[in-house]
Amino acid sequence: MSSDRAFHLVVKSTNALFAAKSRQLATRLALPLVVGDTDEGQFFLAYEDAGLILGSLDKDMGNPIWVDFVAGANAHRRKFGGGKQQDIARAVGISKKANIRVLDATAGLGRDAFVLASLGCDVTLIEKNAVVHSLLNDGIERALHDPDAASVVQRMHLIQDDTLQFSPETIDVVYLDPMFPPSQKSAKVKKELRYLHHIVGYDGAGADALLDWAMQHALKRVVVKRPRLAPPLAGKKPTLTFEGKSGRFDVYVKTGF
C-alpha cells in the first residue's frame, strides 16, 4: 500500500476466530495490525461474521461496507432485476448473444460483474486497488459456499492488476465504470462510493485512457457506464446509448454485435 495516502488505514483484529486471517491480511497489504476495538486508524479493515468489512471512525461515512453476493441488494437484483431486459444486458448484447466473454476493467465492488455473470456471461474482473481487491475476493470466496450464488460467482474470475498494463485473452466486450469526481452534494452520494472515493481516489486522465485501451482489446464492443448528464468518456461519441433515470450505458460498437 502507498504510504502517501491522506488517510490512515489499519487492519483491526477484534475477533479471536479471525486472528490468523487478520495477520495475513495486514502482512499482504503492508498495513498496521491493531488488536481490539480501538480508535486507531481513520479507516479500518476487519473480519467479522459477515465477512471482511471496511469501516471508518468518521460517523459521516456511515456504517462499514463489505461485498455480499449471497444476500442484500446483489441477491435481490439477481432474482428480480429484470433479466435480459435490463439496460446493462442490452448494452453488453446479452439479448442477442449467449456465452459472452466480458472483461470488467474497473471491477470495484463487483455488482455489475455479478449481474452479468448471473445472466450467463463469463466475466474477468480487473481491480488494481489492493483494499478493494481484498473486499471483492472475500465476497467471491464466501459466495462459493452458497448453493444459489456459487453457480454465478464461478463465472467471475478476479485478477489484481493495473488494467492499462494488462494483456487479456480473447474478450468480446470490455465493460468500464470509471470513478466519477466526488459530488459536492455529498449527502446524495451512495455510502459505497464515499468509501471508494477515499480509498481509490479519482483519476480523470486515467479514466479517459481506459477507453482507448478498451477499444484496442474488445473484439465486439466497449460499454461505459456514466452518470446520466455526464459527458461521454474522453469526449468520444458512442455508437448508441441506453439511458435510465440516473445513469446510462454508452456503447462503442466495433462489429455487428
Side-chain angles (χ1 to χ4, degrees), residues 77 81-95 100 102 104 110-119 121 123 173 175-177 221 223-225 242-244 247-251:
R77 190 174 176 189
K84 294 182 180 180
Q85 297 306 310
Q86 298 176 76
D87 284 343
I88 187 174
R90 297 165 63 204
V92 169
I94 294 175
S95 61
I100 300 174
V102 178
D104 184 345
R111 287 189 171 182
D112 288 341
F114 183 73
V115 170
L116 294 173
S118 72
L119 296 174
C121 295
V123 187
V173 178
Y175 180 82
L176 302 174
D177 182 10
R221 62 175 63 184
V223 177
V224 184
K225 186 176 183 179
F242 297 89
E243 186 170 316
R248 70 174 195 270
F249 296 95
D250 291 343
V251 182

Side-chain angles (χ1 to χ4, degrees), residues 194-205:
R194 291 202 296 271
Y195 275 97
L196 291 180
H197 278 138
H198 282 278
I199 299 298
V200 178
Y202 169 68
D203 180 7

